């Protein structure tokens, strides 16, 4: 089982790999993606990290408010689109 975490307030220059690396210190990362603007290809400042279910709560506690690229991250469990 896995859970998907929403990660907001990302530095504009971060890559999906760098995002995954930031979370790996706190548990198993299955995948990560930084959301980009379709027209410009530029980061929209948020992304998602898919993590092992048993590590999710620990990752949220560790990374919510943590600084990445001099920006405090917002991390919580992603909500399904309606």
């Amino acid at each position: 089982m896995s859970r998907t975490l929403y990660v907001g307030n990302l530095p504009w220059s971060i890559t999906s790999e760098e995002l995954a690396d930031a979370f790996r210190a706190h548990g198993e990362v299955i995948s990560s993606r930084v959301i980009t603007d379709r027209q410009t290809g530029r980061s929209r400042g948020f992304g998602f990290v898919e993590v092992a279910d048993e590590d999710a709560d620990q990752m949220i506690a560790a990374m919510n408010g943590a600084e990445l690229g001099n920006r405090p991250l917002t991390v919580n469990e992603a909500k399904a689109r309606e």
Side-chain angles (χ1 to χ4, degrees):
M1 286 291 295
S2 67
R3 284 164 52 188
T4 302
L5 306 181
Y6 164 85
V7 186
N9 201 33
L10 289 172
W12 300 113
S13 61
I14 198 166
T15 66
S16 293
E17 188 59 36
E18 291 168 333
L19 178 60
D21 288 344
F23 278 79
R24 276 196 187 101
H26 305 286
E28 180 186 352
V29 173
I30 297 165
S31 68
S32 67
R33 66 187 186 279
V34 173
I35 305 304
T36 56
D37 182 278
R38 284 193 182 121
Q39 293 178 327
T40 66
R42 199 178 143 192
S43 170
R44 293 183 57 201
F46 70 96
F48 297 94
V49 180
E50 185 181 2
V51 301
D53 193 31
E54 62 271 9
D55 296 331
D57 292 330
Q58 176 184 327
M59 285 186 175
I60 291 170
M63 295 299 290
N64 189 41
E67 285 205 358
L68 187 61
N70 295 323
R71 297 180 71 146
L73 299 179
T74 300
V75 181
N76 51 45
E77 190 159 1
K79 295 174 179 51
R81 277 192 179 176
E82 296 187 6

